[in-house]
Amino acid sequence: MVLVKRIVLDVLKPHQPNALEFSQTIAAACNDCQVHLTVLEMDENTETVEVVITGNAIKFDDIQLAISDMGGSLHSIDQVEVQSETNDA
């Protein structure tokens, strides 16, 4: 099994929810993960943010759904860190 440990996303989001609420919702969508959000650009209606998520087994589909549900749009996956897990039986 391959586990996603860290992922860096470039996201376009509306001003609401704000950065704190946006980060909290993403964190709630994954089990035991940490979210770091940086606002890179702002215009009249949107913000471009960098979202760094770290954890033991990040479920990307859940993260992507949370972003979409808040009106955000995933522009790109900029970095990924994965780890293979060995099954010693």
Side-chain angles (χ1 to χ4, degrees), residues 14-30:
H15 288 297
Q16 292 300 321
N18 66 35
L20 177 60
E21 294 165 339
F22 199 80
S23 299
Q24 289 173 326
T25 301
I26 292 172
C30 59

Side-chain angles (χ1 to χ4, degrees), residues 35 40 44:
V35 177
L40 302 175
E44 191 173 306

Side-chain angles (χ1 to χ4, degrees), residues 30-67:
C30 59
N31 187 20
D32 193 33
C33 68
Q34 183 177 24
V35 177
H36 177 92
L37 184 144
T38 304
V39 177
L40 302 175
E41 292 180 36
M42 290 180 72
D43 68 16
E44 191 173 306
N45 299 312
T46 62
E47 300 172 358
T48 299
V49 296
E50 178 186 70
V51 182
V52 180
I53 305 164
T54 54
N56 291 323
I58 299 166
K59 294 181 181 175
F60 177 70
D61 291 341
D62 294 347
I63 302 301
Q64 193 169 15
L65 182 60
I67 290 169

Side-chain angles (χ1 to χ4, degrees), residues 3-11 36 38 40 49-55 58 60 63 74-83:
L3 304 174
V4 178
K5 299 291 197 170
R6 180 175 185 268
I7 192 164
V8 179
L9 306 174
D10 180 16
V11 176
H36 177 92
T38 304
L40 302 175
V49 296
E50 178 186 70
V51 182
V52 180
I53 305 164
T54 54
I58 299 166
F60 177 70
I63 302 301
L74 177 63
H75 276 182
S76 62
I77 301 172
D78 294 343
Q79 293 181 22
V80 177
E81 182 181 327
V82 297
Q83 179 179 342

